[in-house]
Amino acid sequence: MSASREPGFHGVFPYLVSPLDAAGGVREGVMVALVERLIAAGVHGLAPLGSTGEFAYLSNDQRLAVARAVIRAAKGRVPVVPGVASTSTADAVAQTRAMVAAGADGILAILDAYFPVGEAGVAAYFTAIAEAAEGLPVVLYTNPNFQRSDLTLPVIDRLSRVPNIRYIKDASSNTGRLLSILNRCGDRIEVFAASAHIPACVMMIGGVGWMAGPACIVPEQSIALYEAARAGDWERAMDLQRPLWRINELFARYSLAACIKAALELQGFEVGDPVAPQTPLDAVARGELAQALGAIGAL
């Protein structure tokens, strides 16, 4: 087992964009450059095919191509935890098996739903992914702002008892819900902050890190914040958090992938436009983003 497959995900896991060319293929050179930049900055892992990775707009072939490109670029230096998402349990299981075969170090499990799904169906979906992951760690992803069928506290409690479901990234923006999860599940499951939460606050209540798109464009600042929180230096953590929160605010205001792709373009990475029918940021939004990045030394 490689070092990257040892247990204990923690720290800063940027949600990677999916840089595609006009034909829909992965811009592998751009992906390699981005991965190198992030690993050099000291990130603790990489999460392709999250919301910022536009998973909902990609075919399964494109998703697998993105994951393979990141895994090749990472070269085992940090864990790669790609997203798996579907409205169908069978398809989610097939995706998971493909990601495992490609060399993933864990699975970020997402439930798409057209019709609402009851608690039993939600639990069964994530359990099936965990079984297909062949013992690799599974991170539950929940975002009630986008999902028709959320993970309730009883379902999270139930899933925390599946041996390899060990983490959750909750993007509800309700930090009290995170504390409820920690109180209810104890050490069976660990919590990552999302961009909808204030990372310093999540780590203060027991979170283990930050999985979010903005970490793609401000990795050094994100890592400094994490290190301050891990050291219990909350005064320094908040000094770092206050200016960094502006990036989160813009991320929430504008289309997720469009915002991060625009920022990366400003930083010199030719990641391309968001997948249609999404649209790129306009000049005004790009100006706001450039100003915010410049203010924290990220541009």
Side-chain angles (χ1 to χ4, degrees):
M1 179 177 287
S2 69
S4 64
R5 289 179 183 269
E6 292 177 0
F9 294 165
H10 65 277
V12 177
F13 278 63
Y15 268 23
L16 299 181
V17 296
S18 296
L20 304 179
D21 59 29
V26 179
R27 298 184 182 186
E28 190 142 355
V30 176
M31 185 68 87
V32 168
L34 179 58
V35 167
E36 288 296 332
R37 183 263 189 281
L38 293 170
I39 290 177
V43 301
H44 304 85
L46 299 166
L49 303 172
S51 302
T52 305
E54 303 174 277
F55 71 84
Y57 300 91
L58 305 180
S59 69
N60 279 354
D61 285 346
Q62 287 175 311
R63 294 179 190 184
L64 186 56
V66 167
R68 284 174 170 161
V70 177
I71 291 164
R72 282 194 295 267
K75 298 176 184 176
R77 291 171 290 176
V78 296
V80 177
V81 185
V84 163
S86 185
T87 56
S88 156
T89 299
D91 179 56
V93 165
Q95 287 184 47
T96 301
R97 289 174 177 158
M99 295 299 180
V100 172
D105 297 290
I107 298 295
L108 175 72
I110 305 161
L111 173 62
D112 278 343
Y114 184 79
F115 296 111
V117 180
E119 288 192 352
V122 171
Y125 174 89
F126 287 104
T127 300
I129 289 175
E131 291 172 352
E134 299 181 7
L136 293 182
V138 172
V139 183
L140 303 175
Y141 175 85
T142 173
N143 190 335
N145 296 315
F146 295 107
Q147 295 169 317
R148 288 182 60 83
S149 297
D150 190 26
L151 283 83
T152 63
L153 282 172
V155 169
I156 294 168
D157 184 16
R158 177 175 171 183
L159 291 171
S160 73
R161 300 171 194 278
V162 177
N164 61 323
I165 295 180
R166 295 177 36 217
Y167 307 92
I168 187 167
K169 179 205 160 171
D170 175 290
S172 65
S173 77
N174 180 355
T175 307
R177 173 177 153 104
L178 301 187
L179 188 55
S180 294
I181 292 169
L182 290 166
N183 285 344
R184 181 157 183 160
C185 299
D187 61 4
R188 293 191 306 276
I189 201 160
E190 295 184 296
V191 169
F192 277 91
S195 60
H197 295 280
I198 300 171
C201 296
V202 174
M203 286 183 274
M204 182 177 285
I205 65 171
V208 295
W210 191 25
M211 282 189 172
C216 257
I217 57 176
V218 287
E220 289 89 356
Q221 295 85 348
S222 302
I223 292 161
L225 170 60
Y226 168 74
E227 294 292 351
R230 188 174 69 164
D233 188 347
W234 299 112
E235 183 176 357
R236 172 164 169 74
M238 287 309 301
D239 284 344
L240 293 164
Q241 179 69 88
R242 290 184 184 94
L244 190 58
W245 186 245
R246 177 61 176 155
I247 303 297
N248 293 59
E249 290 175 331
L250 292 172
F251 188 63
R253 180 185 303 174
Y254 299 114
S255 173
L256 308 184
C259 184
I260 301 304
K261 281 188 165 179
L264 287 170
E265 291 274 352
L266 289 168
Q267 293 175 335
F269 295 94
E270 296 182 0
V271 294
D273 291 336
V275 179
Q278 301 173 102
T279 56
L281 294 192
D282 62 23
V284 172
R286 288 173 68 90
E288 286 186 80
L289 194 54
Q291 184 178 31
L293 289 171
I296 58 174
L299 192 62

